[in-house]
Amino acid sequence: MKILLRSARIIAPSSPYHQKKADIFIENGIIKEIGASLKVKDPDREIVLKDLHVSVGWFDSSVTFGEPGYEERETIKNGLDTAALSGFTAIALNPCTNPVIDDNGTVTSILSKAQGHPVNMHPIGALTRNSQGKDLADLYDMSQAGAIAFGDHKQAVMNSNLLKLALQYVQNFGGLVQSFPQDNNIAGKGVINEDENSTRLGLRGIAPLAEEMQIARDLSLLEYTGGKLHIPTISTSGAVKLIKEAKKKGLDVSCSVAIHNLIFSDDVLMEFDTNAKVLPPLRNKKTLKKLQAGLKEGTIDMVTTDHTPIDIEHKKVEFEQALYGTIGLESAFGALLNITSLEETIDYLTRGRSRFGLPVPEIAKGEKANLSLFTPKGKQIFTQENIFSSSRNSLFLEHELTGKVYGIISGNNILIKE
C-alpha cells in the first residue's frame, strides 16, 4: 500500500526535518521518502488535511477499558479506535478487568483481542493475585506473555514486605513495578482533596499526606532493594519534591501525572459533578502550578490521560457513591495545548515508551510509520459529539480546547477523521 502525506509540518526535535513542511511517502508501512513536492505514481491514499502537523505516535501509560467483564463501559475494539482517533499509537492497559489480568493466560487473551489493530496495546499485569494485595501474581510468566509492567490499578500496596519482595523479584528479568501512591489508613473514607473545599462541600477529604507518606515509604524500599519503580498519577507538590530528591540519589524511579490533575483544581467540585470525582483527587490551584513545574523540569517523567470509562449507572449517582474516573483520551491534546507550547505538548505525549521497555519510533527514511496527525490551530468547545468512548464521563465537557487531532498512521494502517 502506498500512502502519501502532503505538506505536513513535522514536529520531531531529533529529526533533521523538525519544524519543516514536507511530503511523507509511506510504502508497505515503511517511510520511503521525505521531501518537498514528492512525485509518487498511483498512491493508494493521498492525504491532504488543513494545516497538517505530524509527530511520532503518542503513548499513554495508563488506560483502562472494560473488556473482559465490564464491556458496558468499554470494549477493547472501540477503546483502541478511540485511542487512534485521539492521536495515540500505543497505550498501556491497566489490569482492572474481570477477571483481573494476573496470569499468563489472561495476558495472552487480552493481546489476542487487539491483534491487527493500528494501536499497539501493552498490558500491565496485576502485581498481586486478583489485585487483592495478599500474594504476588505470576510476574515472570506475565512478562513472558507480553506484560510491560506490574501494578494493582488504583490499589495501594499496603503490605511493605510484599512490595519489597516484588522489587527484588523483578530484578531477575528487568521488570518494572508500579505502586499507587496512597496510604489507605490516612486516606480513610475520603473522596476529594482535604482542603477548604472539602469543608465547604461537607465531603470527607483525602489529605496530601496520604500520597506523600506512601511515596516516602516506597522510595525507602526502593533504596533498600534496588530495582525499578514507577509511581503512577502523582498529585501533590510534596510528591514532586520527594521524587526529585530520590532521583538526585540515583534511585531508578519514574512517575506520571494525569492531565486532569494539571488542568483542574478542586474548585470544579462546587457543582458536585461526579465526572470530577477522580483518584487521586483534584488538588488546589497552588498545587497545579507545582505539578506543571515538576513536569516542565523533568521530575515528572510523563503525562497520562488516566482514561477510565465509567457507565452512567455508576456516575449518575450521589457524589460519595459514584465511582472514580474520567475519560481523557479524546481531550488530551487540546487540554495540554491550553497550558503548554506545541513542542512541549508533543514531548509530554511521546515520553514514556523507553521506561516501559518499548521501542521509540522515529520519523526517518527506512523507519516503520508511526505517526500522529493533528493541527494546533483553532479553538473548540469539547462536547458529547467529540467523545468516541462508549462511556461519556468526561471532566472536560463544555471546556474550550486548542487544536484538533486527525488520527494516526501506524505501519500500513490509517485511522483518521477528516
Side-chain angles (χ1 to χ4, degrees), residues 69-102:
Y70 306 106
E71 286 85 355
E72 71 279 6
R73 298 177 187 175
E74 189 58 279
T75 63
I76 288 174
K77 169 65 168 62
N78 191 69
L80 292 176
D81 286 349
T82 297
L85 294 173
S86 303
F88 292 86
T89 60
I91 60 107
L93 182 71
N94 292 316
C96 47
T97 51
N98 187 16
V100 169
I101 304 172
D102 65 356

PDB file of all heavy atoms in Angstrom, residues 69-102:
ATOM      1  N   GLY A  69     -15.377  -8.325  31.220  1.00  0.00           N
ATOM      2  CA  GLY A  69     -16.085  -8.163  32.481  1.00  0.00           C
ATOM      3  C   GLY A  69     -16.918  -6.917  32.596  1.00  0.00           C
ATOM      4  O   GLY A  69     -17.970  -6.920  33.240  1.00  0.00           O
ATOM      5  N   TYR A  70     -16.446  -5.826  31.963  1.00  0.00           N
ATOM      6  CA  TYR A  70     -17.175  -4.556  32.055  1.00  0.00           C
ATOM      7  C   TYR A  70     -17.363  -3.957  30.663  1.00  0.00           C
ATOM      8  O   TYR A  70     -17.100  -2.782  30.428  1.00  0.00           O
ATOM      9  CB  TYR A  70     -16.431  -3.571  32.964  1.00  0.00           C
ATOM     10  CG  TYR A  70     -16.117  -4.121  34.335  1.00  0.00           C
ATOM     11  CD1 TYR A  70     -14.819  -4.498  34.671  1.00  0.00           C
ATOM     12  CD2 TYR A  70     -17.125  -4.282  35.287  1.00  0.00           C
ATOM     13  CE1 TYR A  70     -14.518  -5.014  35.930  1.00  0.00           C
ATOM     14  CE2 TYR A  70     -16.835  -4.795  36.551  1.00  0.00           C
ATOM     15  CZ  TYR A  70     -15.533  -5.154  36.859  1.00  0.00           C
ATOM     16  OH  TYR A  70     -15.252  -5.667  38.105  1.00  0.00           O
ATOM     17  N   GLU A  71     -17.803  -4.779  29.740  1.00  0.00           N
ATOM     18  CA  GLU A  71     -17.936  -4.333  28.346  1.00  0.00           C
ATOM     19  C   GLU A  71     -18.908  -3.179  28.192  1.00  0.00           C
ATOM     20  O   GLU A  71     -18.828  -2.429  27.208  1.00  0.00           O
ATOM     21  CB  GLU A  71     -18.379  -5.509  27.466  1.00  0.00           C
ATOM     22  CG  GLU A  71     -17.295  -6.528  27.177  1.00  0.00           C
ATOM     23  CD  GLU A  71     -17.142  -7.574  28.264  1.00  0.00           C
ATOM     24  OE1 GLU A  71     -17.838  -7.455  29.308  1.00  0.00           O
ATOM     25  OE2 GLU A  71     -16.339  -8.499  28.091  1.00  0.00           O
ATOM     26  N   GLU A  72     -19.833  -3.014  29.142  1.00  0.00           N
ATOM     27  CA  GLU A  72     -20.768  -1.892  29.063  1.00  0.00           C
ATOM     28  C   GLU A  72     -20.038  -0.551  29.227  1.00  0.00           C
ATOM     29  O   GLU A  72     -20.539   0.495  28.806  1.00  0.00           O
ATOM     30  CB  GLU A  72     -21.872  -2.024  30.124  1.00  0.00           C
ATOM     31  CG  GLU A  72     -21.454  -1.801  31.571  1.00  0.00           C
ATOM     32  CD  GLU A  72     -20.804  -3.025  32.217  1.00  0.00           C
ATOM     33  OE1 GLU A  72     -20.573  -4.023  31.514  1.00  0.00           O
ATOM     34  OE2 GLU A  72     -20.537  -2.972  33.439  1.00  0.00           O
ATOM     35  N   ARG A  73     -18.864  -0.584  29.809  1.00  0.00           N
ATOM     36  CA  ARG A  73     -18.064   0.641  29.958  1.00  0.00           C
ATOM     37  C   ARG A  73     -17.224   0.896  28.709  1.00  0.00           C
ATOM     38  O   ARG A  73     -17.147   2.015  28.227  1.00  0.00           O
ATOM     39  CB  ARG A  73     -17.160   0.530  31.182  1.00  0.00           C
ATOM     40  CG  ARG A  73     -17.933   0.385  32.478  1.00  0.00           C
ATOM     41  CD  ARG A  73     -17.001   0.200  33.667  1.00  0.00           C
ATOM     42  NE  ARG A  73     -17.775  -0.101  34.871  1.00  0.00           N
ATOM     43  CZ  ARG A  73     -17.248  -0.399  36.042  1.00  0.00           C
ATOM     44  NH1 ARG A  73     -15.919  -0.441  36.172  1.00  0.00           N
ATOM     45  NH2 ARG A  73     -18.017  -0.668  37.073  1.00  0.00           N
ATOM     46  N   GLU A  74     -16.577  -0.151  28.224  1.00  0.00           N
ATOM     47  CA  GLU A  74     -15.766  -0.012  27.014  1.00  0.00           C
ATOM     48  C   GLU A  74     -15.279  -1.377  26.554  1.00  0.00           C
ATOM     49  O   GLU A  74     -14.902  -2.220  27.373  1.00  0.00           O
ATOM     50  CB  GLU A  74     -14.558   0.898  27.267  1.00  0.00           C
ATOM     51  CG  GLU A  74     -13.781   1.274  26.012  1.00  0.00           C
ATOM     52  CD  GLU A  74     -14.650   1.980  24.987  1.00  0.00           C
ATOM     53  OE1 GLU A  74     -15.367   1.275  24.251  1.00  0.00           O
ATOM     54  OE2 GLU A  74     -14.612   3.219  24.929  1.00  0.00           O
ATOM     55  N   THR A  75     -15.292  -1.582  25.242  1.00  0.00           N
ATOM     56  CA  THR A  75     -14.696  -2.777  24.659  1.00  0.00           C
ATOM     57  C   THR A  75     -13.279  -2.461  24.206  1.00  0.00           C
ATOM     58  O   THR A  75     -12.900  -1.291  24.043  1.00  0.00           O
ATOM     59  CB  THR A  75     -15.501  -3.267  23.452  1.00  0.00           C
ATOM     60  OG1 THR A  75     -15.459  -2.244  22.435  1.00  0.00           O
ATOM     61  CG2 THR A  75     -16.943  -3.561  23.835  1.00  0.00           C
ATOM     62  N   ILE A  76     -12.487  -3.491  23.990  1.00  0.00           N
ATOM     63  CA  ILE A  76     -11.127  -3.279  23.512  1.00  0.00           C
ATOM     64  C   ILE A  76     -11.135  -2.663  22.118  1.00  0.00           C
ATOM     65  O   ILE A  76     -10.396  -1.713  21.840  1.00  0.00           O
ATOM     66  CB  ILE A  76     -10.341  -4.601  23.542  1.00  0.00           C
ATOM     67  CG1 ILE A  76     -10.032  -4.978  24.994  1.00  0.00           C
ATOM     68  CG2 ILE A  76      -9.050  -4.496  22.727  1.00  0.00           C
ATOM     69  CD1 ILE A  76      -9.389  -6.325  25.166  1.00  0.00           C
ATOM     70  N   LYS A  77     -11.984  -3.154  21.237  1.00  0.00           N
ATOM     71  CA  LYS A  77     -12.038  -2.633  19.866  1.00  0.00           C
ATOM     72  C   LYS A  77     -12.382  -1.152  19.855  1.00  0.00           C
ATOM     73  O   LYS A  77     -11.676  -0.336  19.241  1.00  0.00           O
ATOM     74  CB  LYS A  77     -13.076  -3.428  19.054  1.00  0.00           C
ATOM     75  CG  LYS A  77     -13.432  -2.840  17.684  1.00  0.00           C
ATOM     76  CD  LYS A  77     -12.254  -2.858  16.728  1.00  0.00           C
ATOM     77  CE  LYS A  77     -12.635  -2.554  15.300  1.00  0.00           C
ATOM     78  NZ  LYS A  77     -13.203  -1.219  15.086  1.00  0.00           N
ATOM     79  N   ASN A  78     -13.470  -0.759  20.508  1.00  0.00           N
ATOM     80  CA  ASN A  78     -13.854   0.648  20.489  1.00  0.00           C
ATOM     81  C   ASN A  78     -12.865   1.505  21.279  1.00  0.00           C
ATOM     82  O   ASN A  78     -12.597   2.652  20.913  1.00  0.00           O
ATOM     83  CB  ASN A  78     -15.265   0.840  21.051  1.00  0.00           C
ATOM     84  CG  ASN A  78     -15.782   2.242  20.799  1.00  0.00           C
ATOM     85  OD1 ASN A  78     -16.051   2.618  19.656  1.00  0.00           O
ATOM     86  ND2 ASN A  78     -15.902   3.041  21.844  1.00  0.00           N
ATOM     87  N   GLY A  79     -12.297   0.938  22.330  1.00  0.00           N
ATOM     88  CA  GLY A  79     -11.304   1.684  23.099  1.00  0.00           C
ATOM     89  C   GLY A  79     -10.071   2.002  22.277  1.00  0.00           C
ATOM     90  O   GLY A  79      -9.541   3.119  22.324  1.00  0.00           O
ATOM     91  N   LEU A  80      -9.611   1.021  21.492  1.00  0.00           N
ATOM     92  CA  LEU A  80      -8.440   1.256  20.643  1.00  0.00           C
ATOM     93  C   LEU A  80      -8.768   2.203  19.498  1.00  0.00           C
ATOM     94  O   LEU A  80      -7.931   3.024  19.103  1.00  0.00           O
ATOM     95  CB  LEU A  80      -7.907  -0.079  20.113  1.00  0.00           C
ATOM     96  CG  LEU A  80      -7.294  -1.003  21.166  1.00  0.00           C
ATOM     97  CD1 LEU A  80      -6.897  -2.337  20.543  1.00  0.00           C
ATOM     98  CD2 LEU A  80      -6.080  -0.356  21.833  1.00  0.00           C
ATOM     99  N   ASP A  81      -9.985   2.119  18.960  1.00  0.00           N
ATOM    100  CA  ASP A  81     -10.406   3.087  17.941  1.00  0.00           C
ATOM    101  C   ASP A  81     -10.391   4.503  18.528  1.00  0.00           C
ATOM    102  O   ASP A  81      -9.967   5.463  17.871  1.00  0.00           O
ATOM    103  CB  ASP A  81     -11.818   2.760  17.441  1.00  0.00           C
ATOM    104  CG  ASP A  81     -11.856   1.547  16.516  1.00  0.00           C
ATOM    105  OD1 ASP A  81     -10.780   1.085  16.090  1.00  0.00           O
ATOM    106  OD2 ASP A  81     -12.970   1.058  16.236  1.00  0.00           O
ATOM    107  N   THR A  82     -10.868   4.621  19.758  1.00  0.00           N
ATOM    108  CA  THR A  82     -10.870   5.919  20.443  1.00  0.00           C
ATOM    109  C   THR A  82      -9.456   6.445  20.607  1.00  0.00           C
ATOM    110  O   THR A  82      -9.186   7.635  20.363  1.00  0.00           O
ATOM    111  CB  THR A  82     -11.549   5.790  21.821  1.00  0.00           C
ATOM    112  OG1 THR A  82     -12.915   5.420  21.640  1.00  0.00           O
ATOM    113  CG2 THR A  82     -11.478   7.093  22.598  1.00  0.00           C
ATOM    114  N   ALA A  83      -8.545   5.572  21.011  1.00  0.00           N
ATOM    115  CA  ALA A  83      -7.150   5.984  21.165  1.00  0.00           C
ATOM    116  C   ALA A  83      -6.582   6.483  19.839  1.00  0.00           C
ATOM    117  O   ALA A  83      -5.911   7.517  19.778  1.00  0.00           O
ATOM    118  CB  ALA A  83      -6.322   4.817  21.697  1.00  0.00           C
ATOM    119  N   ALA A  84      -6.867   5.759  18.760  1.00  0.00           N
ATOM    120  CA  ALA A  84      -6.351   6.145  17.447  1.00  0.00           C
ATOM    121  C   ALA A  84      -6.888   7.506  17.008  1.00  0.00           C
ATOM    122  O   ALA A  84      -6.132   8.374  16.558  1.00  0.00           O
ATOM    123  CB  ALA A  84      -6.725   5.082  16.413  1.00  0.00           C
ATOM    124  N   LEU A  85      -8.190   7.705  17.140  1.00  0.00           N
ATOM    125  CA  LEU A  85      -8.788   8.974  16.730  1.00  0.00           C
ATOM    126  C   LEU A  85      -8.382  10.121  17.646  1.00  0.00           C
ATOM    127  O   LEU A  85      -8.580  11.290  17.315  1.00  0.00           O
ATOM    128  CB  LEU A  85     -10.313   8.836  16.693  1.00  0.00           C
ATOM    129  CG  LEU A  85     -10.844   7.881  15.619  1.00  0.00           C
ATOM    130  CD1 LEU A  85     -12.340   7.680  15.775  1.00  0.00           C
ATOM    131  CD2 LEU A  85     -10.516   8.397  14.220  1.00  0.00           C
ATOM    132  N   SER A  86      -7.799   9.782  18.795  1.00  0.00           N
ATOM    133  CA  SER A  86      -7.286  10.786  19.726  1.00  0.00           C
ATOM    134  C   SER A  86      -5.795  11.017  19.540  1.00  0.00           C
ATOM    135  O   SER A  86      -5.198  11.813  20.270  1.00  0.00           O
ATOM    136  CB  SER A  86      -7.565  10.344  21.168  1.00  0.00           C
ATOM    137  OG  SER A  86      -8.942  10.114  21.388  1.00  0.00           O
ATOM    138  N   GLY A  87      -5.177  10.303  18.568  1.00  0.00           N
ATOM    139  CA  GLY A  87      -3.781  10.536  18.233  1.00  0.00           C
ATOM    140  C   GLY A  87      -2.785   9.579  18.838  1.00  0.00           C
ATOM    141  O   GLY A  87      -1.578   9.743  18.652  1.00  0.00           O
ATOM    142  N   PHE A  88      -3.237   8.550  19.537  1.00  0.00           N
ATOM    143  CA  PHE A  88      -2.323   7.629  20.223  1.00  0.00           C
ATOM    144  C   PHE A  88      -2.085   6.372  19.377  1.00  0.00           C
ATOM    145  O   PHE A  88      -3.031   5.747  18.921  1.00  0.00           O
ATOM    146  CB  PHE A  88      -2.892   7.236  21.589  1.00  0.00           C
ATOM    147  CG  PHE A  88      -2.936   8.377  22.563  1.00  0.00           C
ATOM    148  CD1 PHE A  88      -4.030   9.247  22.590  1.00  0.00           C
ATOM    149  CD2 PHE A  88      -1.887   8.613  23.425  1.00  0.00           C
ATOM    150  CE1 PHE A  88      -4.070  10.316  23.478  1.00  0.00           C
ATOM    151  CE2 PHE A  88      -1.910   9.681  24.317  1.00  0.00           C
ATOM    152  CZ  PHE A  88      -3.008  10.535  24.337  1.00  0.00           C
ATOM    153  N   THR A  89      -0.817   6.022  19.235  1.00  0.00           N
ATOM    154  CA  THR A  89      -0.467   4.805  18.508  1.00  0.00           C
ATOM    155  C   THR A  89      -0.119   3.660  19.446  1.00  0.00           C
ATOM    156  O   THR A  89       0.067   2.525  19.008  1.00  0.00           O
ATOM    157  CB  THR A  89       0.711   5.040  17.552  1.00  0.00           C
ATOM    158  OG1 THR A  89       1.855   5.459  18.309  1.00  0.00           O
ATOM    159  CG2 THR A  89       0.376   6.089  16.508  1.00  0.00           C
ATOM    160  N   ALA A  90      -0.009   3.952  20.743  1.00  0.00           N
ATOM    161  CA  ALA A  90       0.299   2.908  21.719  1.00  0.00           C
ATOM    162  C   ALA A  90      -0.277   3.291  23.073  1.00  0.00           C
ATOM    163  O   ALA A  90      -0.260   4.468  23.460  1.00  0.00           O
ATOM    164  CB  ALA A  90       1.802   2.690  21.838  1.00  0.00           C
ATOM    165  N   ILE A  91      -0.785   2.283  23.788  1.00  0.00           N
ATOM    166  CA  ILE A  91      -1.303   2.522  25.137  1.00  0.00           C
ATOM    167  C   ILE A  91      -0.904   1.351  26.036  1.00  0.00           C
ATOM    168  O   ILE A  91      -0.722   0.229  25.574  1.00  0.00           O
ATOM    169  CB  ILE A  91      -2.846   2.699  25.149  1.00  0.00           C
ATOM    170  CG1 ILE A  91      -3.573   1.443  24.605  1.00  0.00           C
ATOM    171  CG2 ILE A  91      -3.255   3.921  24.359  1.00  0.00           C
ATOM    172  CD1 ILE A  91      -4.255   0.626  25.650  1.00  0.00           C
ATOM    173  N   ALA A  92      -0.756   1.655  27.322  1.00  0.00           N
ATOM    174  CA  ALA A  92      -0.572   0.623  28.338  1.00  0.00           C
ATOM    175  C   ALA A  92      -1.920   0.401  29.003  1.00  0.00           C
ATOM    176  O   ALA A  92      -2.549   1.345  29.488  1.00  0.00           O
ATOM    177  CB  ALA A  92       0.469   1.057  29.363  1.00  0.00           C
ATOM    178  N   LEU A  93      -2.379  -0.849  29.014  1.00  0.00           N
ATOM    179  CA  LEU A  93      -3.703  -1.184  29.511  1.00  0.00           C
ATOM    180  C   LEU A  93      -3.647  -1.628  30.961  1.00  0.00           C
ATOM    181  O   LEU A  93      -2.921  -2.555  31.320  1.00  0.00           O
ATOM    182  CB  LEU A  93      -4.320  -2.299  28.668  1.00  0.00           C
ATOM    183  CG  LEU A  93      -5.737  -2.717  29.059  1.00  0.00           C
ATOM    184  CD1 LEU A  93      -6.738  -1.631  28.681  1.00  0.00           C
ATOM    185  CD2 LEU A  93      -6.111  -4.042  28.399  1.00  0.00           C
ATOM    186  N   ASN A  94      -4.440  -0.978  31.803  1.00  0.00           N
ATOM    187  CA  ASN A  94      -4.488  -1.329  33.220  1.00  0.00           C
ATOM    188  C   ASN A  94      -5.170  -2.691  33.427  1.00  0.00           C
ATOM    189  O   ASN A  94      -6.041  -3.084  32.644  1.00  0.00           O
ATOM    190  CB  ASN A  94      -5.219  -0.231  33.999  1.00  0.00           C
ATOM    191  CG  ASN A  94      -4.426   1.054  34.026  1.00  0.00           C
ATOM    192  OD1 ASN A  94      -3.222   1.032  34.253  1.00  0.00           O
ATOM    193  ND2 ASN A  94      -5.077   2.181  33.781  1.00  0.00           N
ATOM    194  N   PRO A  95      -4.819  -3.391  34.513  1.00  0.00           N
ATOM    195  CA  PRO A  95      -5.293  -4.765  34.694  1.00  0.00           C
ATOM    196  C   PRO A  95      -6.634  -4.905  35.405  1.00  0.00           C
ATOM    197  O   PRO A  95      -7.020  -6.005  35.784  1.00  0.00           O
ATOM    198  CB  PRO A  95      -4.181  -5.377  35.554  1.00  0.00           C
ATOM    199  CG  PRO A  95      -3.698  -4.246  36.396  1.00  0.00           C
ATOM    200  CD  PRO A  95      -3.789  -3.026  35.503  1.00  0.00           C
ATOM    201  N   CYS A  96      -7.373  -3.799  35.581  1.00  0.00           N
ATOM    202  CA  CYS A  96      -8.599  -3.838  36.393  1.00  0.00           C
ATOM    203  C   CYS A  96      -9.802  -4.312  35.579  1.00  0.00           C
ATOM    204  O   CYS A  96     -10.798  -3.596  35.405  1.00  0.00           O
ATOM    205  CB  CYS A  96      -8.870  -2.477  37.007  1.00  0.00           C
ATOM    206  SG  CYS A  96      -8.719  -1.099  35.861  1.00  0.00           S
ATOM    207  N   THR A  97      -9.688  -5.522  35.052  1.00  0.00           N
ATOM    208  CA  THR A  97     -10.771  -6.164  34.311  1.00  0.00           C
ATOM    209  C   THR A  97     -11.373  -7.247  35.199  1.00  0.00           C
ATOM    210  O   THR A  97     -11.017  -7.375  36.368  1.00  0.00           O
ATOM    211  CB  THR A  97     -10.231  -6.768  33.008  1.00  0.00           C
ATOM    212  OG1 THR A  97      -9.089  -7.586  33.316  1.00  0.00           O
ATOM    213  CG2 THR A  97      -9.801  -5.679  32.031  1.00  0.00           C
ATOM    214  N   ASN A  98     -12.284  -8.010  34.660  1.00  0.00           N
ATOM    215  CA  ASN A  98     -12.874  -9.122  35.409  1.00  0.00           C
ATOM    216  C   ASN A  98     -12.939 -10.344  34.499  1.00  0.00           C
ATOM    217  O   ASN A  98     -13.818 -10.401  33.643  1.00  0.00           O
ATOM    218  CB  ASN A  98     -14.263  -8.745  35.925  1.00  0.00           C
ATOM    219  CG  ASN A  98     -14.837  -9.805  36.851  1.00  0.00           C
ATOM    220  OD1 ASN A  98     -14.113 -10.669  37.345  1.00  0.00           O
ATOM    221  ND2 ASN A  98     -16.141  -9.751  37.081  1.00  0.00           N
ATOM    222  N   PRO A  99     -12.022 -11.312  34.617  1.00  0.00           N
ATOM    223  CA  PRO A  99     -11.028 -11.416  35.681  1.00  0.00           C
ATOM    224  C   PRO A  99      -9.879 -10.413  35.528  1.00  0.00           C
ATOM    225  O   PRO A  99      -9.615  -9.919  34.429  1.00  0.00           O
ATOM    226  CB  PRO A  99     -10.509 -12.847  35.526  1.00  0.00           C
ATOM    227  CG  PRO A  99     -10.688 -13.143  34.066  1.00  0.00           C
ATOM    228  CD  PRO A  99     -11.973 -12.453  33.680  1.00  0.00           C
ATOM    229  N   VAL A 100      -9.228 -10.154  36.645  1.00  0.00           N
ATOM    230  CA  VAL A 100      -8.065  -9.274  36.666  1.00  0.00           C
ATOM    231  C   VAL A 100      -6.956  -9.898  35.817  1.00  0.00           C
ATOM    232  O   VAL A 100      -6.800 -11.119  35.767  1.00  0.00           O
ATOM    233  CB  VAL A 100      -7.599  -9.069  38.125  1.00  0.00           C
ATOM    234  CG1 VAL A 100      -6.244  -8.381  38.182  1.00  0.00           C
ATOM    235  CG2 VAL A 100      -8.634  -8.257  38.903  1.00  0.00           C
ATOM    236  N   ILE A 101      -6.174  -9.049  35.164  1.00  0.00           N
ATOM    237  CA  ILE A 101      -5.039  -9.532  34.366  1.00  0.00           C
ATOM    238  C   ILE A 101      -3.908  -9.887  35.324  1.00  0.00           C
ATOM    239  O   ILE A 101      -3.088  -9.031  35.698  1.00  0.00           O
ATOM    240  CB  ILE A 101      -4.578  -8.463  33.349  1.00  0.00           C
ATOM    241  CG1 ILE A 101      -5.740  -8.026  32.453  1.00  0.00           C
ATOM    242  CG2 ILE A 101      -3.423  -8.993  32.500  1.00  0.00           C
ATOM    243  CD1 ILE A 101      -5.421  -6.840  31.562  1.00  0.00           C
ATOM    244  N   ASP A 102      -3.879 -11.139  35.774  1.00  0.00           N
ATOM    245  CA  ASP A 102      -2.878 -11.523  36.778  1.00  0.00           C
ATOM    246  C   ASP A 102      -2.178 -12.844  36.476  1.00  0.00           C
ATOM    247  O   ASP A 102      -1.520 -13.416  37.350  1.00  0.00           O
ATOM    248  CB  ASP A 102      -3.501 -11.562  38.175  1.00  0.00           C
ATOM    249  CG  ASP A 102      -4.569 -12.643  38.337  1.00  0.00           C
ATOM    250  OD1 ASP A 102      -4.884 -13.323  37.337  1.00  0.00           O
ATOM    251  OD2 ASP A 102      -5.083 -12.806  39.456  1.00  0.00           O
TER     252      ASP A 102
END
